């Protein structure tokens, strides 16, 4: 299975490493707007993608969700099966439709919005809710670095560096596990912890006030603001951890059933990339099987993710 | 979607309640060898199952795995789509093949070995291993009632009533979550806790010795044996709780990624039944879509489990 990577940011770099570890994949090329990348892999101009379609069985689109995926993804889907990690939840139906039209027209397969949320969390939400009677469901995010909130604090005057971690409130987790979810919402279920390196002479009280009063991002949440020095920041806050829980409870009568899916990820792009690589395998197989159109993770038979043959997966599941 | 239930033990009773809660299902009949059952549902002789095939869109086979499923399941698959919860892991490939042959010949669909292990745990094992690079994986069972071990202690002379709970060792769970699984096996990862009501005048020391020295079942495990009175037994040990964890760790380089799937079930048959009901929906849909043959949970597109339409599942996953 020959894999092309489109884009070479954090996600593209993760995917490059992950593809090399797959027993059934080889890396064909990285497509980038830049001609020089720090990699041993062949680098080709993204504008010439179509010319290399016969050398690629599946392309992993490691592009940003803000504008790149909506604008560019359909173009790649004209040539080869694709996988993306488009994470704008509200826009997924539109994106799926756009990819479906192109993929059907060109007889390829596009798997959209893989990753973990949307992605593995979506899958677990849909399945647990379908299975448990009288289901109540809550998703918790973190402990993890929130890119959007980190960007927001970094824009504040006097902030040299800043990160924001989202952390599920322990008592909210326990309430969700017991099915006592009345009044539980995103704000009461999560705490926001901020680490700031202030610029020299900055007014830290003003920075903290700006954070605590920022609408949508921080107002209504339990917020903790910490000021630290640059060395501590570099040592302790350079990673991209994330994760969370999908907690579903239900049952008939007095019975209480809990299904919980947990992710603890020391590297968010590495896990997002790992999910995309597994679904790239599925996309190539679906296309080889004559399927065409766009698929979400909800539509893909799970065994297609694995390099192990179906009969072996079943036989060894003892 | 008209559902038939075959068999009316604990599982069949759970499935009856669960089918009634489904927005898109109605209960057509229960098929049993007994003509009188304590239910409002129509009861029909199991020997006449074939005569009612036009009144059933899917049959849920609530039969024992020891002999009933291997001997009887292929007969039902001649007439309508079926779902079973066959849980003899080592024999699943043979059972799947037997059901596949019948289902293909009669142009129906059989989903085999649903439930939670095999079933949801199998699905999570296969998916997490396919996604995480350098994956290490451990399954823990419990806290839960083990039917096989409870049967074994009840056969000991002098035992009036007995139950055995399997409990994951907390330090083993933590080791698995950290990926430190060297030397971790089923015996070191689980503790076995036994509650016995002795017969009058029974030799409790002899009972305990027999338990602790029972090969395969108890030797090599940390074992706790408790003798209790009948009232305590009835009050505290009449349920059928179970559950467990599938813990998978992996990552590239220094990154550590954890995927954990947890079930805590106050009623084992209720959850097994709930999974079977969701896959019954999938079996009927696959058959309606013209598919035929046997499927495991690994092969079924997950959205088919849900009564919610695919477009709605995607649109609301925000």
């Amino acid at each position: 299975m020959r894999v092309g990577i489109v884009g070479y940011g954090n996600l593209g770099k993760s995917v490059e490493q992950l593809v090399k570890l797959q027993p059934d994949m080889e890396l064909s090329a990285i497509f980038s707007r830049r001609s020089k990348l720090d990699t041993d892999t062949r680098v080709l101009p993204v504008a010439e993608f179509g010319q290399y379609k016969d050398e690629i069985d599946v392309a992993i689109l490691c592009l940003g969700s803000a504008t790149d995926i909506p604008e560019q993804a359909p173009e790649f889907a004209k040539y080869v099966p694709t996988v993306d990690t488009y994470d704008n939840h509200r826009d997924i139906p539109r994106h799926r439709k756009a990819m479906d039209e192109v993929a059907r027209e060109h007889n390829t397969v596009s798997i959209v919005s893989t990753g973990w949320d949307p992605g593995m969390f979506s899958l677990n939400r849909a399945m647990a809710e379908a299975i448990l009677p009288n289901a109540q469901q809550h998703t918790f995010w973190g402990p993890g670095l929130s890119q959007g909130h980190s960007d927001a604090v970094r824009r504040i005057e006097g902030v040299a560096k800043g990160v924001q971690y989202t952390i599920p409130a322990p008592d909210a987790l326990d309430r969700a596990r017991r099915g006592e979810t009345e009044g539980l919402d995103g704000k009461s279920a999560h705490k926001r912890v901020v680490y700031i390196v202030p610029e020299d002479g900055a007014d830290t009280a003003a920075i903290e006030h700006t954070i605590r009063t920022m609408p949508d991002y921080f107002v209504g949440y339990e917020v903790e603001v910490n000021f630290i020095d640059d060395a501590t920041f570099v040592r302790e806050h350079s990673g991209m951890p994330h994760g969370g829980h999908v907690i579903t409870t239900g049952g008939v009568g007095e019975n209480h059933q809990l299904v919980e899916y947990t992710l603890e990820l020391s590297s968010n792009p590495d896990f997002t990339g790992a999910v995309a690589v597994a679904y790239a395998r599925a996309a190539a197989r679906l296309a080889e099987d004559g399927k065409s159109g766009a698929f979400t993770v909800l539509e893909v038979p799970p065994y297609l993710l694995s390099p192990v043959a179906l009969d072996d997966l079943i036989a060894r599941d003892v």
Side-chain angles (χ1 to χ4, degrees), chain A:
Chain A
M1 201 174 286
R2 298 162 304 166
V3 178
I5 296 174
V6 179
Y8 201 64
N10 284 326
L11 181 61
K13 287 174 191 166
S14 285
V15 166
E16 181 186 26
Q17 298 307 313
L18 291 158
V19 168
K20 288 180 181 173
L21 293 170
Q22 306 304 314
D24 56 347
M25 291 185 181
E26 62 180 66
L27 193 49
S28 178
I30 295 167
F31 293 88
S32 174
R33 278 171 302 189
R34 290 173 288 166
S35 57
K36 283 274 187 190
L37 298 178
D38 183 19
T39 174
D40 298 332
T41 308
R42 176 169 65 149
V43 179
L44 296 171
V46 71
E48 295 171 14
F49 182 85
Q51 297 174 30
Y52 294 91
K53 69 186 174 66
D54 293 334
E55 297 177 32
I56 295 166
D57 297 309
V58 60
I60 304 178
L61 309 184
C62 301
L63 301 169
S65 289
T67 56
D68 288 353
I69 288 287
E71 290 175 6
Q72 301 170 29
E75 175 65 18
F76 302 109
K78 288 181 184 170
Y79 303 108
V80 298
T82 66
V83 167
D84 67 56
T85 61
Y86 187 57
D87 67 1
N88 181 346
H89 284 265
R90 285 171 207 276
D91 193 46
I92 292 172
R94 186 209 55 75
H95 174 58
R96 172 168 167 260
K97 187 161 177 289
M99 296 300 275
D100 193 57
E101 284 168 10
V102 177
R104 283 182 193 276
E105 191 185 337
H106 294 86
N107 205 28
T108 61
V109 166
S110 290
I111 303 182
V112 301
S113 299
T114 71
W116 60 277
D117 194 0
M120 300 311 295
F121 272 17
S122 314
L123 191 64
N124 277 276
R125 280 190 288 259
M127 293 190 75
E129 197 208 45
I131 289 167
L132 285 182
N134 307 310
Q136 297 198 55
Q137 189 166 70
H138 279 267
T139 301
F140 294 84
W141 294 272
L145 182 77
S146 166
Q147 210 61 63
H149 287 74
S150 296
D151 288 345
V153 300
R154 281 193 288 262
R155 281 194 294 265
I156 297 170
E157 193 183 324
V159 171
K161 293 182 178 178
V163 288
Q164 196 260 201
Y165 299 101
T166 304
I167 298 175
D171 66 308
L173 282 172
D174 287 341
R175 280 176 59 196
R177 288 175 183 136
R178 290 194 304 266
E180 298 166 4
T181 54
E182 198 169 304
L184 196 65
D185 61 15
K187 289 191 177 182
S188 60
H190 294 92
K191 180 178 173 181
R192 302 202 172 279
V193 180
V194 183
Y195 292 88
I196 300 284
V197 180
E199 290 173 353
D200 281 348
D203 180 348
T204 57
I207 292 170
E208 180 160 349
H209 179 76
T210 305
I211 293 171
R212 291 185 179 280
T213 56
M214 200 182 291
D216 300 332
Y217 284 80
F218 291 98
V219 170
Y221 286 93
E222 184 183 347
V223 176
E224 182 186 311
V225 181
N226 304 281
F227 292 95
I228 60 177
D229 61 31
D230 190 72
T232 307
F233 190 95
V234 169
R235 194 175 60 242
E236 296 177 8
H237 302 288
S238 298
M240 281 181 279
H242 220 309
H245 308 257
V246 176
I247 296 177
T248 314
T249 57
V252 181
E254 288 184 2
N255 281 324
H256 179 76
Q257 322 277 43
L258 164 70
V259 179
E260 180 168 350
Y261 182 75
T262 299
L263 295 174
E264 279 179 35
L265 314 172
S266 77
S267 165
N268 187 347
D270 263 17
F271 188 74
T272 302
V275 176
V277 168
Y279 277 98
R281 179 176 291 116
R285 286 176 165 180
L286 286 169
E288 203 181 300
D289 194 35
K291 302 285 192 300
S292 69
F295 295 73
T296 61
V297 299
L298 300 179
E299 294 157 81
V300 177
Y303 80 94
L304 293 175
L305 307 187
S306 175
V308 180
L310 175 60
D311 283 347
D312 294 333
L313 279 178
I314 295 169
R316 70 180 201 178
D317 188 55
V318 295

